[in-house]
Amino acid sequence: MTRILFGAILGLLVTYPVLLSIVLSIASVALVQPVVLAFAAGVILWPRLARRARRWTS
């Protein structure tokens, strides 16, 4: 599911270059702010941390 969604988004960005510039500008603004980086890292790493914690408790 994630691969399909990523492929669809990538296809849209390649098809519509204007969207690519908008996404890149939003991403560059978001990456400058440390709070946004911390939130994104938490969202990305949370499933891995939750699985590891479940293994410790079982």
Side-chain angles (χ1 to χ4, degrees):
M1 179 67 182
T2 307
R3 289 181 183 176
I4 293 171
L5 184 63
F6 180 74
I9 292 171
L10 189 61
L12 279 174
L13 292 177
V14 169
T15 305
Y16 299 105
V18 174
L19 284 177
L20 180 62
S21 65
I22 292 171
V23 169
L24 287 178
S25 64
I26 291 172
S28 64
V29 168
L31 290 177
V32 172
Q33 301 174 1
V35 175
V36 175
L37 284 176
F39 178 76
V43 167
I44 291 169
L45 294 177
W46 182 256
R48 187 175 294 175
L49 293 172
R51 273 182 274 152
R52 183 171 290 170
R54 252 187 264 133
R55 276 189 263 149
W56 287 341
T57 59
S58 60

